[in-house]
Amino acid sequence: MSQSPVLKASLDEKPSCFHCGLPVPPGADYRAQILGESREMCCPGCQAVAEAIVEADMENYYRHRSEPSARPDDDLERVLEELSIYDRPEMQKSFVANRDGDRREASLILEGIVCAACIWLSEKHVRQLPGIESFSVNFTTHRAQVVWDNRQVHLSEILKAITEIGYRAYPYDPNRQDRVYRRERHDMMRRLAVAGLVYLQVMMISLSLYFGDFLDLSDQLRYFFWWVALVLSTPIVLYSGQAFFRPAWRDLRQGRISMDLPVSLSILLAYGGSVYAVVSHSGEVYFDSVTMFIFLLLAGRFLEQGARHKAGELSESLNKLVPQVANRFESDGSVAVIPAFDLVPGDRILVRPGGPVPADGVIREGESGINAAMLTGESMPETKSVGDRVSAGTVNTESPLVVEVEQVGQDTMVSSIVRLIDRAQAQKPQLAELADRFARKFVIALLVTTALVTLAWLWIEPSRAFWIAVAILAITCPCSLSLATPAAIAVSVGRLTRAGLLVTRGRAMETLAKVTHVVFDKTGTLTTGELAVRRVDRFDALDEARLKSIVAALEQYADHPVGRALCGWAEGHEGVGVTDVESRSGRGVIGQIDGERFAVGNARLIHELGIALPDTPSSVDELVVWVAGSNGVIARATLGDELREDAAAAVERLQAQGVNVWLLSGDQPSRAEMIGRHLGVDRAEGGLLPEDKMERVADIQQGGGRVLMVGDGVNDAPVLARADVSMAMGSGTTVAKHSADMVLLNDRVAETAFAVAYARRTMGVIHQNLAWSVWYNAIAIPIAALGFVQPWLAAIGMSVSSIVVIGNALRLRRG
């Protein structure tokens, strides 16, 4: 009878993998919680598959099997085959969003990313797969966003492709991301600790050798110290140095020269040269420089890792807003606690006071305050009642609510925001793409330069050539060039999101910084868009109930502030049957009711119908809507729309930055001009159709201007797309938000001025970082080539260069 895997693992002298049964390599720290205990795994692949089996409620597989999982000699091949478990619908529902037809979108965690070159390689490799529509990696969070056609490629094939080039990819969830980050940090700390302890011991020996030069130290004792330093230095090179060797070797196998190659070469050359000196009893040893070099570089990467985590902590905190469990009403009226990813649209859930909302939905019972600070930037809870929508991750502050689920998992608003943040942080301005291309070529030029300088020193002074070559390789820092932009973009996108402004495209930051004109729409942008009927004047014997029924029937399908206001006024009166409905853009609507033709619209529509309007006065800040029948005008509704409280402040702050502010509206010219004068804009025009607005924007662009367009409606979508950079109001239509580069979640238009100023500051930091990187390398390489820099000093210079870039970018968090 076969032994149980638990008993077998306990009897083996060497720990074995609980999943496959093979020995666990020394130093490996991969574990999974199985059958109530923490089990050892031999590799990340076995760990990922084991966690997937447990999460899919198939844990009994381990209880009933009679032997560990079969595994061929090439264990990687077996792990890749087992990744197919992620193709199952029940596995995908918590992290995959279904788009049109067979299109899928998912977030993945990537392990093994160490620099911008890693991102370039993984993106290029995955994008070559058939069916991949987009694949981008966020350098800050190491999270990848992938969109694919499920008919042509499956998720498991994408994960395999990533694994085959030396990286590890898992479906994203916040808890796993934390585990990955902690594991990476602990791994870095262990390597750093080994490097630090060994470096101190080697330095003590080096000091003895330095003082020995003045104390006539015997050759026998000197060689003994050399051997001790060799024995101590070897673990730091073989263990701590793997943080540089593995990425360099992985890229070389893919036919690429990465930024880790010069570092690896400098370490191996210095170590190899010192070993040769010990064995041959000739020359000099630099074990102190080797150990210091590794220690300082690891310390720099450790600090960089922490800074990168801070820069990406916003999207991580947004993901953690959504609870893991939900209280669902069962068919018998009882409440059951279930995993949140088991919710489906149509479920009714109980949201208790103080608890977060687990899914997007509509309130069906109750009234309470909802705190949406992390999504909108508004610190005060907003009162919500029956019929109002609530978003996953928001917090119920007062009373119990019954919510009907509409969107779950990756389809919720908070998940959409995180995807947009990742996309914005992954996209690079043209300046950054240029820097990346330069950095890749820079590495090749560096290797060539090092070879030429070494040949020159072999002719000038052969004894110094070797260590000068090591110093040149060590002191250069192409990483700072590639870090200059992603670090600043990641921090700035997070900072703007906390201010209530969601950046959906990272390239928008570069364009926003160059804006010369800001063009505002009026209704719903500079005004609240919440039109209300102030009064209704009737010119016919038609009673008010019949009038409301006619208005409700004609305006029932309206998705415009005017239509919604009229429907609100007619609320409670059912619309009568209407046929032959004709909507005339920018004018109104016409339809047949009980055999009679009725129209609801502005004066332009009534004139087109050949109906005379009575001469009645109205204020320029009021909107007049006419109701007409076959026999003439029936009624006049007067609507009002209030300016946003911060509209004037937005205009003033933008103009203070030297930006021209325009108001382009489809409303009556007199009303647009009146509001323009009140706000002090540079130019105000009314009576414009969408194509007219596009023409005005094109005129500005032809004159050399850069335009930021701010709007909210369906009719704003074309001009939002035409502008250099665009911003949609959070309360605006879906079409407008999809057309825009940024979304103003809290509808505070004054944030447009902050966004422009902050974008300029961000680009300033990027230019500073790039300038620092260029000047550092331009000065450091000649100094090292002339022989003025020792290898240990070169290591300090390289580490400081990267830390300066990250630290400068982190200053943006205080903006």
Side-chain angles (χ1 to χ4, degrees), residues 478-753:
C479 291
S480 61
L481 281 169
S482 294
L483 284 174
T485 297
I489 291 293
V491 175
S492 60
V493 168
R495 176 64 184 87
L496 287 174
T497 304
R498 284 195 295 273
L501 207 163
L502 178 63
V503 181
T504 64
R505 295 176 178 87
R507 294 185 178 94
M509 297 296 292
E510 185 175 26
T511 310
L512 187 61
K514 301 174 182 177
V515 159
T516 60
H517 291 71
V518 174
V519 176
F520 286 103
D521 177 45
K522 183 182 72 69
T523 304
T525 305
L526 289 177
T527 66
T528 62
E530 297 297 328
L531 288 171
V533 177
R534 294 179 177 176
R535 65 180 182 275
V536 175
D537 301 311
R538 296 200 304 274
F539 305 103
D540 191 274
L542 195 71
D543 63 75
E544 183 174 314
R546 174 64 175 171
L547 176 62
K548 288 186 175 181
S549 297
I550 293 171
V551 171
L554 290 172
E555 295 289 346
Q556 60 183 318
Y557 302 113
D559 185 19
H560 186 275
V562 174
R564 290 194 293 268
L566 290 172
C567 287
W569 171 74
E571 188 176 2
H573 293 75
E574 293 186 5
V576 293
V578 58
T579 59
D580 299 331
V581 178
E582 179 187 353
S583 178
R584 297 193 180 182
S585 178
R587 298 185 290 282
V589 63
I590 305 168
Q592 293 281 342
I593 299 175
D594 297 334
E596 184 178 355
R597 190 186 195 193
F598 287 93
V600 177
N602 56 22
R604 185 175 173 184
L605 174 65
I606 305 303
H607 283 308
E608 288 177 358
L609 297 176
I611 299 173
L613 292 174
D615 187 13
T616 55
S618 63
S619 173
V620 293
D621 66 338
E622 293 178 331
L623 177 66
V624 176
V625 176
W626 300 91
V627 183
S630 300
N631 298 323
V633 174
I634 298 172
R636 181 186 75 165
T638 304
L639 290 74
D641 183 14
E642 301 299 325
L643 281 171
R644 294 188 185 274
E645 293 180 356
D646 58 346
V651 173
E652 182 181 352
R653 292 172 190 172
L654 285 168
Q655 290 174 334
Q657 297 177 41
V659 177
N660 291 292
V661 182
W662 285 25
L663 169 60
L664 300 180
S665 175
D667 205 348
Q668 294 181 15
S670 58
R671 185 175 295 109
E673 291 169 6
M674 184 274 294
I675 292 177
R677 285 194 300 271
H678 177 73
L679 295 176
V681 300
D682 297 288
R683 179 172 176 177
E685 283 190 67
L688 300 177
L689 295 174
E691 51 267 32
D692 298 324
K693 295 181 183 179
M694 291 181 66
E695 189 176 316
R696 302 296 188 277
V697 169
D699 290 341
I700 296 173
Q701 292 170 330
Q702 288 173 3
R706 297 291 185 94
V707 179
L708 164 63
M709 176 68 199
V710 187
D712 79 313
V714 173
N715 61 334
D716 291 323
V719 70
L720 286 171
R722 180 68 176 83
D724 297 284
V725 61
S726 54
M727 186 183 299
M729 306 300 286
S731 58
T733 63
T734 302
V735 174
K737 287 184 278 190
H738 283 181
S739 302
D741 301 307
M742 293 172 284
V743 179
L744 200 53
L745 296 174
N746 54 25
D747 288 344
R748 291 200 296 258
V749 291
E751 298 297 345
T752 56

Side-chain angles (χ1 to χ4, degrees), residues 328-336 347-348:
R328 184 178 66 187
F329 285 100
E330 301 297 299
S331 56
D332 60 359
S334 62
V335 177
D347 283 346
R348 290 203 170 199

Side-chain angles (χ1 to χ4, degrees), residues 194-212:
V194 170
L197 291 173
V198 172
Y199 161 64
L200 291 175
Q201 305 305 315
V202 173
M203 184 54 68
M204 291 175 62
I205 293 174
S206 298
L207 288 174
S208 301
L209 291 171
Y210 295 151
F211 284 116

